[in-house]
Amino acid sequence: MTLSPRVAHSAYYAAHIGKSLLWTASDLVTIYALVSLFGVDPALAGWLFLGGLAANALADLCVGAWLDRHPQHRRRVAGVGLTGAALIFPMTILAATSGNAVLIAATLAFRLCYAAYDVPHNAMLTRLAATAAGTATRLSRGRTIGTGIAAGAVGLALSRWRDAATLPVMLWLIAGTALILGSALLPLLPRAMPLRVGAAVPTGPGLPWGFLAGSLIGIVALGALTKAMLQLPTTIAHPDAGTTVLLLTAGRVLAALVPFAVYDARRGLILLASLYLIAIPVMAVLLRLEGWPMILILGLLLGCTNLLDWTLLPLLARGARSYGFYTMAAKLALGGAGLTMTAALGDHTTFAPDAFTTFVAALLGACAVAAWCVWPRRRIAPTNSRGFHA
């Protein structure tokens, strides 16, 4: 890498904003636009979203495994993936006028192209984090802020271009901006990079099972709780859905300001486990309060755990396969969070007070399990000067 660390990190942050524009827009806009603006059957829209997410998750694993065996193609794969994702993204909504087959094809193509860019982008953390101690934490903070910027931009764009006539303008603006910003990653990608000195490509996830299990349990628990904020019982005073989403997003962005200092994997794992333990009494108290404080602090907790996850990944991962496996599992866990919440909700549109109390108790119990899984039980292998495991 010939660029200075500061320039390289700035380019990575710009690329993350570009990638997050596509991800956030596909997450927040797709179902709303298909159902409300183009008259697509809600069940079809829901299955499209779930099927596309599942295809994306599987593609993450496949791309990571392939790039570990062919690292010289990282830049080419990322470039093709970014271009394809940006060009196809608007069609995941606009193709609704061309029939279901075209819409399904566009959705799958977008998710597959996105994975081809997403995995090299995430795996670049290992190389960038090797420049100095504490860099992994700074990079994770930058990712957190970048995701917040992208979410805010999509929200503002949707408030301006939100009908069937003007929506294409918003979609193509997002796609063009994502293409420009995302291309900042390409010069950073090496044509070939040894992922682990003197070692074969890992056959498993390439991550400690305790970290992987605890992180995924935590994603399901806190993710289900955030989704439940939109279905609170009528006995609890709470903001409207739009304000709730903004408060959760604000809390996640504020997580970047929390003064974490992670210089080694063991300390990071202890910090992550402690955060899940702290979440139990904090949320037990906050969920008895009314109004916005509990929602903002829930977003902060979710943001802090996500920040630590992505701080630990460069310290624990053993190649692109590790990043592909983690992103695949995390996306499936996000889907699991939604299924957990809807299963607890049952046939109701809001939680009954007793059901909500039971639901929260179960999720806080899951946080305790997550903490137990994450807590390191043996010495973590140190990293050498190049950031690869010794």
Side-chain angles (χ1 to χ4, degrees):
M1 186 187 306
T2 58
L3 298 175
S4 69
R6 178 175 296 182
V7 173
H9 294 174
S10 298
Y12 185 82
Y13 299 148
H16 184 74
I17 294 173
K19 181 187 80 167
S20 297
L21 282 171
L22 292 176
W23 179 263
T24 305
S26 64
D27 185 40
L28 298 179
V29 178
T30 302
I31 294 179
Y32 159 75
L34 289 177
V35 174
S36 301
L37 303 182
F38 292 95
V40 173
D41 179 66
L44 174 61
W47 279 109
L48 265 176
F49 185 79
L50 180 60
L53 196 62
N56 186 206
L58 180 60
D60 282 339
L61 178 62
C62 295
V63 170
W66 191 84
L67 287 180
D68 270 353
R69 291 171 171 79
H70 306 281
Q72 70 274 18
H73 296 307
R74 287 169 178 262
R75 187 179 299 179
R76 183 180 303 172
V77 169
V80 171
L82 173 64
T83 303
L87 293 179
I88 297 170
F89 165 66
M91 301 311 299
T92 60
I93 296 173
L94 302 180
T97 59
S98 301
N100 292 342
V102 178
L103 185 60
I104 292 171
T107 299
L108 293 177
F110 165 70
R111 293 296 185 177
L112 294 176
C113 287
Y114 185 89
Y117 179 80
D118 190 32
V119 174
H121 174 274
N122 291 335
M124 192 65 198
L125 278 172
T126 294
R127 188 173 180 88
L128 293 176
T131 56
T135 303
T137 307
R138 291 194 294 273
L139 288 168
S140 187
R141 292 187 201 280
R143 287 174 61 99
T144 299
I145 295 172
T147 301
I149 291 172
V154 171
L156 290 174
L158 187 59
S159 67
R160 180 178 178 86
W161 297 291
R162 58 186 178 190
D163 57 66
T166 59
L167 186 70
V169 176
M170 184 195 78
L171 296 178
W172 286 111
L173 276 176
I174 289 175
T177 304
L179 181 60
I180 293 170
L181 293 177
S183 63
L185 174 73
L186 302 182
L188 305 181
L189 292 171
R191 297 188 182 278
M193 180 177 71
L195 296 170
R196 194 178 181 213
V197 177
V201 174
T203 55
L207 291 167
W209 284 105
F211 164 74
L212 189 61
S215 179
L216 297 180
I217 291 171
I219 289 173
V220 172
L222 293 180
L225 198 52
T226 58
K227 294 180 187 304
M229 292 297 100
L230 300 176
Q231 329 292 150
L232 284 174
T234 55
T235 54
I236 297 178
H238 57 280
D240 60 77
T243 303
T244 297
V245 171
L246 289 175
L247 286 169
L248 289 170
T249 301
R252 296 192 66 170
V253 174
L254 286 175
L257 304 179
V258 178
F260 291 126
V262 178
Y263 297 102
D264 61 79
R266 181 177 181 83
R267 179 173 178 173
L269 289 169
I270 292 174
L271 191 56
L272 181 59
S274 300
L275 199 57
Y276 282 126
L277 290 176
I278 291 170
I280 297 172
V282 168
M283 293 311 303
V285 172
L286 287 174
L287 289 172
R288 295 179 178 273
L289 302 178
E290 296 184 351
W292 59 267
M294 63 177 178
I295 300 174
L296 182 66
I297 297 182
L298 176 58
L300 180 64
L301 282 170
L302 189 63
C304 286
T305 55
N306 184 69
L307 189 151
L308 284 174
D309 283 340
W310 284 97
T311 297
L312 283 164
L313 275 169
L315 304 176
L316 298 173
R318 292 187 293 148
R321 182 188 180 92
S322 298
Y323 286 93
F325 192 97
Y326 180 83
T327 52
M328 176 195 73
K331 288 167 186 174
L332 294 178
L334 286 173
L339 290 175
T340 298
M341 192 278 291
T342 54
L345 193 61
D347 297 329
H348 306 284
T349 56
T350 59
F351 281 98
D354 290 344
F356 187 66
T357 301
T358 302
F359 177 65
V360 171
L363 294 183
L364 294 182
C367 285
V369 175
W372 180 83
C373 292
V374 167
W375 194 275
R377 292 166 180 78
R378 59 183 178 83
R379 182 174 176 270
I380 303 296
T383 56
N384 61 27
S385 60
R386 290 184 58 82
F388 310 120
H389 288 278

